Amino acid sequence: STFPELGLEPAVAAAAYTAMIAVNSVTQTNEGLKSVANAAVMVLFTSFASLLFPSLTQVQDPIFTLLAPGNHPEGVTAGVSAALPLLFSVLIFQNIVPSLAKLLDFDRTKTTASIAIGSAIPMFMYIAWCYAVLGGGLDNSISGGNAALFTTFSAAALVGSSTACVMSLAEEFESIIGGMNIDAMIESDTIND
């Protein structure tokens, strides 16, 4: 449980969070949801920087950390190939691409640049995180002194991701429903009956 002092069961907390997202998606406009997502992103980057930057100064031997031999039992090539799916998974923009293309007026150059930059940021964050942890500069246990920052980072990632997903789905439903001629469909059903 993320908040053991509250005494909430994980299923109750998940149901409450789901209800909160549902209420926000029904009561907020797209601009309101965008504000929530933007705030979550700012909290995410601030908490990530607060966790990472102090730990980078505590990396024991930066050169050794970068040049340390891999410990995969089948060698470096097998270790890199095992890590590739993870690295590619942080590059995925998922279901936001159609919405992003629409926001950028379907400009191929802008969309490609946005996807490339937006995909590279999480990958660089992941690599920096691994560097800090492997170099011994970051205590990534939840019980450490960084527990509140870890929780803040996790919550911001969850809220931002959920809100962006809701916005993307709402836009897709709007385009599907908006493309239907409801009146013609009703009239066609009336004539056929």
Side-chain angles (χ1 to χ4, degrees):
S1 178
T2 304
F3 302 108
E5 65 275 0
L6 295 178
L8 288 177
E9 288 291 322
V12 173
Y17 180 74
T18 303
M20 182 187 75
I21 291 294
V23 167
N24 279 342
S25 67
V26 171
T27 61
Q28 297 295 315
T29 64
N30 202 25
E31 290 301 316
L33 291 173
K34 192 185 300 184
S35 298
V36 170
N38 288 341
V41 168
M42 294 308 297
V43 169
L44 179 117
F45 282 126
T46 302
S47 61
F48 183 78
S50 298
L51 283 166
L52 185 68
F53 291 147
S55 67
L56 287 177
T57 61
Q58 298 174 10
V59 171
Q60 294 165 359
D61 185 2
I63 298 299
F64 178 76
T65 299
L66 289 174
L67 300 176
N71 61 359
H72 196 278
E74 296 175 20
V76 174
T77 306
V80 169
S81 66
L84 282 177
L86 179 64
L87 291 175
F88 284 134
S89 73
V90 299
L91 292 174
I92 295 174
F93 242 80
Q94 295 181 357
N95 61 347
I96 199 74
V97 172
S99 300
L100 181 67
K102 184 177 178 183
L103 286 171
L104 297 173
D105 297 323
F106 301 100
D107 184 322
R108 180 181 217 132
T109 306
K110 288 179 183 176
T111 303
T112 302
S114 176
I115 290 172
I117 293 168
S119 296
I121 290 171
M123 185 178 70
F124 289 131
M125 289 173 68
Y126 178 73
I127 290 170
W129 184 266
C130 288
Y131 175 74
V133 170
L134 293 174
L138 181 64
D139 174 22
N140 63 351
S141 65
I142 297 299
S143 62
N146 294 327
L149 284 174
F150 277 119
T151 302
T152 302
F153 176 78
S154 300
L158 182 65
V159 169
S161 178
S162 300
T163 304
C165 184
V166 165
M167 290 171 61
S168 179
L169 286 172
E171 190 166 311
E172 286 301 312
F173 288 144
E174 184 179 306
S175 69
I176 291 170
I177 293 170
M180 293 179 177
N181 189 348
I182 303 291
D183 294 332
M185 292 172 75
I186 292 172
E187 188 174 309
S188 171
D189 283 344
T190 306
I191 292 171
N192 292 334
D193 287 341

